[in-house]
Amino acid sequence: MIDLELLEELVAFQKYGTLSASAEHLMITQPSVTRGMKRLEQELGVELFNRQVNRITLNETGELAASEAKKLLQAENDFTEKILILVLLLPAHYC
């Protein structure tokens, strides 16, 4: 199963465009984001980036993966929110 944190890093990269800006937004180190993106590529078995000297950009597959990751993260957030609201509204039935 793919770690949701890796998907968050991918979505951040799509939004901010650089590993360092993504890391700053996520409050982690740039090397952590770099390792995470390499791990995500390995887990998916595809390349997500075009790599050039001192420059990295999402390729077509990476753009698609980031867009789908954003949807998945939103769905996970919605799921958690709905469950928590349900538990708060009907606590006797779910404890």
Side-chain angles (χ1 to χ4, degrees), residues 34-87:
T34 300
R35 284 189 301 273
M37 294 303 87
K38 287 181 181 178
R39 193 167 113 216
L40 183 58
E41 286 181 312
Q42 289 172 344
E43 287 185 21
L44 293 172
V46 297
E47 289 186 7
L48 301 172
F49 300 93
N50 295 315
R51 291 178 171 84
Q52 299 148 357
V53 177
N54 294 324
R55 180 132 172 90
I56 183 172
T57 58
L58 288 171
N59 62 24
E60 190 174 336
T61 304
E63 289 287 351
L64 175 63
S67 295
E68 293 301 315
K70 188 174 183 179
K71 293 177 195 175
L72 184 64
L73 291 168
Q74 185 60 54
E76 187 271 339
N77 186 60
D78 292 347
F79 168 81
T80 302
E81 204 172 275
K82 287 176 184 176
I83 298 303
L84 292 176
I85 288 170
L86 183 64
V87 169

Side-chain angles (χ1 to χ4, degrees), residues 87 90-95:
V87 169
L90 303 168
H93 297 285
Y94 298 100
C95 293

